Amino acid sequence: MIELKNLTKRFDKLVAVNNVNATIKDGTICGLAGSNGSGKSTMLRMLSGVYQPDDGVILIDGENAFENMNVKSRCYYISDYPFFSNNATLKKLSLILKKIYPNWDQEYYNKLCEYFPIDPKGKIINMSKGMQRQAALILAFATKPKYLFLDEIFDGLDPVIRQTLKKLIIENVTDNNMTAVIASHNLREFDDICDTMILIHNGDIVANTKVEEMKTKSFKIQIAFSQDVTAEIFADMDTKNIMQKGRYFTLIASGDEQEINRKLMEKNPAFVEMLPLTLEEVFINEMGGAGYEVY
């Protein structure tokens, strides 16, 4: 289990992560999303032990993560821009990681080299951005990590490889009780894979909950009336982003689905439809509530 306790990280006067508290349970896939510069990458670097918190602590299985080789041997981190030396190849790196990570699985490594179209003897630095990410993923999964930290990992991957990656993550979580924390700007990638989501803005956590709960606590409403009405008709509801075009309205309503539906029907609409929000719409809704201006 991962525990973030009063976690703070500063860079000079900039507070990148501000007194964050969160728990990530074992065997789950946690999506980390937020506005640009919100602190996602900084948080991942602290989780992986690259950065030391200025205040607070990160506990992984009850141990402090920073400069703890026992913890790091169970974790693997792929940054948003994976680094490879000029002469690095998959084969050379596999020999090094085999000595570092006690759970290295050579048979699984060989199988991963079949999944991903990478030449194990080719220089990784000469490969495309997407191929470099695939090389990093082969090495990551072969270490059989208990905790996998991925920063913008879907960037540069084609649709087939993205689906292969999702399958591998789910298989390792299901079969090996691995925990994955994935930071991404593309929330569509989270829709069918993440159990929980942490939304951050300006270093603060805006939301931390199960994905299904996030998608079902607010709804997109499309409603039309046979008579002229104003937006005041929704005054008794918890609503946001009301847009009107004649007698037709679109809005976001939060609360219990049945209660929202009851209040809508009391207004005698000519037409009404309630739709669940996508994760992108949830993000926009939550960020707007946190003061992140949306036009």
Side-chain angles (χ1 to χ4, degrees):
M1 183 171 67
I2 298 173
E3 299 171 89
L4 313 180
K5 297 185 176 182
N6 303 316
L7 192 66
T8 298
K9 182 62 181 178
R10 307 179 189 89
F11 297 99
D12 295 324
K13 294 182 179 180
L14 173 67
V15 181
V17 175
N18 182 33
N19 197 36
V20 162
N21 289 276
T23 298
I24 301 173
K25 295 181 179 179
D26 287 347
T28 60
I29 305 172
C30 177
L32 188 60
S35 52
N36 292 331
S38 61
K40 301 187 299 297
S41 295
T42 300
M43 192 175 294
L44 282 184
R45 287 167 186 155
M46 285 192 286
L47 284 171
S48 60
V50 175
Y51 286 164
Q52 182 177 19
D54 291 312
D55 294 304
V57 66
I58 294 175
L59 298 179
I60 296 181
D61 294 336
E63 297 183 65
N64 195 314
F66 184 69
E67 290 191 348
N68 186 329
M69 292 305 297
N70 185 42
V71 169
K72 288 187 175 184
S73 68
R74 303 194 298 273
C75 302
Y76 203 98
Y77 165 60
I78 300 180
S79 69
D80 48 351
Y81 295 101
F83 172 79
F84 298 99
S85 62
N86 290 339
N87 294 316
T89 67
L90 265 180
K91 186 173 182 180
K92 290 178 180 178
L93 291 175
S94 70
L95 295 174
I96 294 172
L97 295 181
K98 186 177 182 179
K99 297 177 181 179
I100 297 174
Y101 286 90
N103 293 327
W104 176 268
D105 190 329
Q106 187 64 35
E107 183 179 347
Y108 193 41
Y109 165 80
N110 294 335
K111 189 180 294 185
L112 289 166
C113 287
E114 296 176 4
Y115 288 161
F116 296 95
I118 300 287
D119 177 10
K121 297 181 180 179
K123 289 185 178 181
I124 300 174
I125 198 169
N126 294 333
M127 299 178 185
S128 69
K129 178 181 179 181
M131 298 291 273
Q132 289 186 21
R133 290 185 186 278
Q134 292 175 52
L137 287 166
I138 290 172
L139 297 169
F141 284 112
T143 67
K144 290 288 183 174
K146 184 177 180 182
Y147 299 98
L148 181 62
F149 306 123
L150 304 173
D151 196 354
E152 299 293 348
I153 194 61
F154 296 106
D155 189 22
L157 300 182
D158 66 54
V160 173
I161 297 299
R162 285 203 302 270
Q163 285 304 114
T164 299
L165 171 56
K166 289 181 180 181
K167 181 180 178 183
L168 288 171
I169 292 172
I170 292 170
E171 284 180 353
N172 278 272
V173 169
T174 303
D175 298 341
N176 305 322
N177 202 38
M178 184 184 79
T179 301
V181 183
I182 309 170
S184 178
H185 285 99
N186 190 351
L187 297 186
R188 293 177 185 177
E189 302 294 355
F190 289 162
D191 256 317
D192 58 351
I193 190 172
C194 289
D195 304 297
T196 60
M197 285 279 294
I198 296 177
L199 300 184
I200 58 177
H201 177 54
N202 290 339
D204 297 311
I205 288 184
V206 174
N208 179 12
T209 187
K210 293 181 179 179
V211 168
E212 286 307 309
E213 290 180 3
M214 293 184 76
K215 293 167 68 174
T216 56
K217 72 177 184 179
S218 296
F219 301 87
K220 180 193 292 184
I221 310 296
Q222 298 176 336
I223 187 169
F225 298 91
S226 56
Q227 70 280 355
D228 292 335
V229 297
T230 68
E232 290 298 317
I233 197 170
F234 305 111
D236 62 334
M237 301 173 61
D238 182 6
T239 60
K240 295 179 182 177
N241 303 331
I242 299 176
M243 298 181 65
Q244 180 179 3
K245 193 171 185 179
R247 296 176 178 178
Y248 177 81
F249 293 82
T250 60
L251 59 141
I252 304 294
S254 299
D256 178 74
E257 182 177 4
Q258 292 184 348
E259 181 64 14
I260 292 172
N261 188 60
R262 183 187 67 79
K263 288 186 176 182
L264 291 172
M265 298 311 296
E266 286 178 350
K267 304 178 192 313
N268 298 316
F271 165 83
V272 63
E273 184 176 27
M274 291 179 59
L275 301 171
L277 298 181
T278 66
L279 281 180
E280 283 191 352
E281 290 169 329
V282 170
F283 176 82
I284 292 170
N285 189 41
E286 295 288 349
M287 289 297 106
Y292 191 39
E293 272 193 85
V294 180
Y295 293 95

